[in-house]
Amino acid sequence: MIHLHVLGYLVFWVLFAAALGLFAWRLVFLIRLLCLGRAETENRFDKPACRLAEAIFAFVTQKTNLRHLTLSDPAPLGHAFMLWGLGIYLIGYVVFIGFGAGFGLFPVVEGNDFERVFFSVLDVVGLFILAAMIFVVLKRYVLKPQRLQREETTSEKIIQPLLIVTIMLLVVLHYLIEGLGYAAAGLSGEAAGSVSGWPPVGAALAEAFRDSGASSGALERAGRSLWWFNYVVLLGALVYTPRSKHLHPLFIVPNLAFRHRGRKGALRPVNLQDAQTIRRAEIRDFTWKQLLDSYACTWCGRCHVRCPAQSSGKPLSPRELILGTKEHLLKVGPSLMHGKAAQRAKGAEGAHPLGPAFLGAVIGEEAVWSCTTCLACQEVCPAANEQMRTILDLRRHLQMITTTEVGRETVKNLRTRGHPWRGTMYARTDWAEGLGIKILGEDGPAEVLYWVGCTQALEDRNLKVAQAL
Ligand code: SF4
Ligand code: SF4
């Protein structure tokens, strides 16, 4: 019998190594896609230990997520329970896979107090995971808050429920395997782990299985089949996760670690002499960190609902910009990667041919100009994404590289009139007429300086604002 167990253990490790290999293969591919991006203009590698510690702390404590917890929106708590629960299950898988638990080869983790305590923890944690997943189902498919509403592709429509079912299935399989194992052990006269009523779910199920009248052998065979099924699901999830649209479990910690540590909203410095650093025509013009942002998005939709441009009916959604960037990268990235490799193989030097356009495919010009630069999107983002800075980079591109109609008009007006408003009937100081306001430079020094910009001084609708202030 022992040789069958050893054979099973070996088969399991071959499957595990294959799944891990496929996981790593895809992970390397995703990282190579990030490498298509240009170098960062700021140092993202300073204080590496500090960055990493902060990122891990934020991830484990769910700090960036839980700060959004309110009575009307308990979703962050559900997400935290799910993550902590899955983390404990993951530790369980590592411990039990490492020792080959299930094959009876390592008594150090099987059929003893360690197993009972650990399974008891998994039982209780599993209940929290199931409760969190039921909440996710309610939230996503019944309550449907505005931030989670979006046009989804067919694959996105499939992945969400698939993910939920997989997580719930893993917990349920744990309970069933445990119950069947204890029931079989009890019936065959071996030490039954459920004697004391712990682990609670396993013990209750063992009781039910024992009462079902099934033989010890049948219970053991059922338990072993489910054990294999459990690991097929788990290894399948390992292979599938980096191939799915949900990449944030893999990339949120690196994204938090590489976050911008300076003043929020500070503009990226550019070299005006080097148009290449300003260009954002295609995906390779973005920095690797801007591409990483797209992998780290949790789809929470907080930036979408907090964006004033979006709320006022403009075509801008910071969430769609980030998710669209990922879609675009996954779509055009592989051929760009092959093109780059072919170019290198030929020994060709110089600029690469332009890839598919980013503007128009991911975000429209009107959306780019709709941003009020309020920074709300970056403030609320649990993944520390930098949506506004990316939008401003796109604006710079439009203004300084492609010079759109709006840009051309503005620059022309600034040059010829000293302000951007064509067709205005007002002079700079018309708004102050009759208010008894001194003009600096004409009426001597003043205690308070009220600087009225072009828009308030020259644009019809804004004159009253300047006067009211
Ligand atoms: S900075 Fe721009 S994109 Fe972000 S929330 Fe404000 S208006 Fe929306
Ligand atoms: S970019 Fe950030 S705030 Fe917006 S949906 Fe993604 S994770 Fe949420």
Side-chain angles (χ1 to χ4, degrees):
M1 198 64 185
I2 189 82
H3 67 278
L4 273 180
H5 285 181
V6 172
L7 186 66
Y9 189 46
L10 290 177
V11 169
F12 172 78
W13 271 101
V14 169
L15 288 177
F16 182 64
L20 204 60
L22 289 169
F23 172 83
W25 179 277
R26 179 68 180 183
L27 198 62
V28 169
F29 168 79
L30 292 171
I31 293 170
R32 284 179 64 210
L33 285 184
L34 293 182
C35 294
L36 285 172
R38 64 170 75 244
E40 258 298 330
T41 47
E42 62 186 79
N43 187 0
R44 303 272 182 174
F45 292 92
D46 57 318
K47 302 184 182 155
C50 184
R51 279 178 176 273
L52 189 63
E54 278 176 9
I56 292 174
F57 179 77
F59 180 71
V60 172
T61 60
Q62 286 288 285
K63 192 175 107 181
T64 56
N65 171 40
L66 285 174
R67 73 194 164 101
H68 297 295
L69 179 65
T70 59
L71 276 179
S72 58
D73 186 5
L77 196 60
H79 187 272
F81 275 136
M82 184 182 70
L83 182 113
W84 292 329
L86 288 178
I88 292 172
Y89 264 64
L90 195 66
I91 294 171
Y93 291 133
V94 171
V95 169
F96 284 85
I97 286 173
F99 284 102
F103 295 99
L105 299 175
F106 294 89
V108 67
V109 291
E110 282 184 276
N112 55 22
D113 283 346
F114 171 80
E115 184 190 71
R116 187 180 306 180
V117 170
F118 201 86
F119 277 10
S120 297
V121 172
L122 291 186
D123 272 22
V124 176
V125 164
L127 294 176
F128 278 103
I129 296 177
L130 289 178
M133 296 320 291
I134 290 168
F135 178 73
V136 169
V137 172
L138 279 176
K139 187 101 184 157
R140 238 168 221 292
Y141 301 105
V142 182
L143 301 172
K144 294 184 188 164
Q146 198 202 343
R147 69 182 174 85
L148 297 180
Q149 291 172 19
R150 65 185 292 266
E151 280 288 314
E152 289 180 329
T153 61
T154 312
S155 66
E156 284 169 356
K157 280 185 189 141
I158 295 169
I159 171 74
Q160 293 283 0
L162 189 68
L163 204 69
I164 294 168
V165 169
T166 305
I167 292 173
M168 293 176 98
L169 185 64
L170 286 172
V171 175
V172 171
L173 282 171
H174 158 74
Y175 289 145
L176 290 175
I177 294 164
E178 185 184 46
L180 286 165
Y182 285 147
L187 285 178
S188 63
E190 293 169 27
S194 59
V195 170
S196 63
W198 285 87
V201 182
L205 284 175
E207 201 66 44
F209 290 136
R210 268 200 293 265
D211 294 345
S212 71
S215 69
S216 167
L219 291 173
E220 200 195 328
R221 276 192 300 280
R224 186 152 303 284
S225 305
L226 287 184
W227 187 96
W228 279 104
F229 180 55
N230 181 46
Y231 280 100
V232 166
V233 172
L234 190 69
L235 297 182
L238 184 68
V239 174
Y240 181 67
T241 301
R243 287 164 178 81
S244 77
K245 300 278 170 80
H246 283 266
L247 297 175
H248 65 275
L250 305 173
F251 290 97
I252 195 163
V253 171
N255 204 51
L256 289 169
F258 290 125
R259 75 187 167 81
H260 172 68
R261 286 167 66 93
R263 204 160 39 81
K264 273 192 181 168
L267 291 185
R268 187 189 300 284
V270 287
N271 179 0
L272 291 175
Q273 308 304 322
D274 182 5
Q276 294 302 315
T277 61
I278 303 168
R279 205 177 71 149
R280 291 294 184 273
E282 54 135 318
I283 201 81
R284 286 173 296 186
D285 294 331
F286 292 82
T287 70
W288 59 265
K289 174 61 177 63
Q290 287 177 315
L291 302 183
L292 181 62
D293 277 1
S294 74
Y295 285 178
C297 177
T298 65
W299 303 36
C300 72
R302 294 188 197 287
C303 59
H304 177 79
V305 287
R306 296 289 173 87
C307 174
Q310 172 62 214
S311 315
S312 57
K314 302 286 190 318
L316 171 64
S317 163
R319 175 190 64 190
E320 294 311 310
L321 168 64
I322 294 289
L323 290 176
T325 303
K326 179 173 66 185
E327 283 292 317
H328 192 66
L329 177 62
L330 292 173
K331 190 171 156 198
V332 306
S335 57
L336 293 175
M337 222 154 58
H338 291 137
K340 192 173 162 186
Q343 199 180 8
R344 213 182 301 124
K346 278 191 212 152
E349 294 292 331
H352 46 65
L354 209 59
F358 185 87
L359 275 159
V362 176
I363 186 171
E365 281 188 28
E366 198 189 336
V368 171
W369 292 112
S370 302
C371 178
T372 64
T373 66
C374 67
L375 205 62
C377 48
Q378 291 189 202
E379 276 295 336
V380 296
C381 183
N385 282 344
E386 295 163 24
Q387 303 93 320
M388 190 197 80
R389 297 179 96 204
T390 298
I391 293 169
L392 293 188
D393 281 351
L394 285 162
R395 271 190 188 174
R396 281 170 162 171
H397 167 83
L398 285 173
Q399 184 67 56
M400 299 166 89
I401 305 290
T402 64
T403 317
T404 58
E405 193 52 44
V406 178
R408 262 197 300 276
E409 188 70 16
T410 306
V411 171
K412 193 170 128 203
N413 286 336
L414 282 170
R415 203 169 45 229
T416 55
R417 301 163 206 269
H419 61 76
W421 296 107
R422 191 175 61 156
T424 179
M425 306 296 289
Y426 299 102
R428 279 265 166 203
T429 52
D430 282 1
W431 67 272
E433 251 171 46
L435 295 178
I437 292 175
K438 287 189 195 173
I439 307 290
L440 195 71
E442 290 178 16
D443 303 323
E447 228 174 89
V448 177
L449 174 64
Y450 177 27
W451 167 256
V452 179
C454 306
T455 303
Q456 285 192 15
L458 302 168
E459 219 266 330
D460 203 25
R461 286 175 305 171
N462 286 297
L463 288 184
K464 286 199 183 96
V465 178
Q467 287 160 349
L469 279 170

